[in-house]
Amino acid sequence: MAKGYWIARVDVRDAERYKDYVVAAKPAFEEYGANFLARGGAMTELEGAARGRNVVIEFPSMQAAVDCYNSPAYQIAAKIRQEAADAEMVVVEGV
């Protein structure tokens, strides 16, 4: 079974409120086996418009990645994130 990956590109507007998102999202990430591969950090812009924060999260499967996002626990966190940041998020299947 192929792993699933969240790829998120984020511009944080309210750093203090974003910390609340990180705390609120943790239970969902733990429940669905999330493994953070990239979480902010240094980046080099190559093409297109970059965002300030880039995150890659590995899940045991594509279904686990989608289920995590749709879970009630994560949806509470998502509302906080949407108040504090602008983002694009996708789930991609691993090879």
Side-chain angles (χ1 to χ4, degrees):
M1 177 183 322
K3 293 185 178 186
Y5 296 85
W6 281 20
I7 300 175
R9 300 173 55 240
V10 183
D11 282 332
V12 176
R13 294 186 316 273
D14 182 341
E16 287 304 309
R17 185 72 171 134
Y18 195 81
K19 290 176 187 177
D20 296 335
Y21 159 72
V22 172
V23 170
K26 186 176 180 181
F29 290 144
E30 289 175 348
E31 179 179 349
Y32 290 93
N35 179 32
F36 284 80
L37 302 179
R39 192 179 213 173
M43 70 166 175
T44 300
E45 187 174 333
L46 299 175
E47 291 186 29
R51 289 208 180 247
R53 182 174 179 80
N54 299 282
V55 181
V56 179
I57 309 170
E58 179 183 70
F59 289 85
S61 67
M62 184 82 169
Q63 191 62 56
V66 171
D67 289 348
C68 181
Y69 182 83
N70 290 322
S71 71
Y74 185 76
Q75 286 303 301
I76 291 167
K79 285 182 176 60
I80 297 169
R81 178 183 43 76
Q82 291 160 358
E83 293 171 4
D86 298 313
E88 289 104 26
M89 296 174 60
V90 297
V91 174
V92 297
E93 185 176 48
V95 294

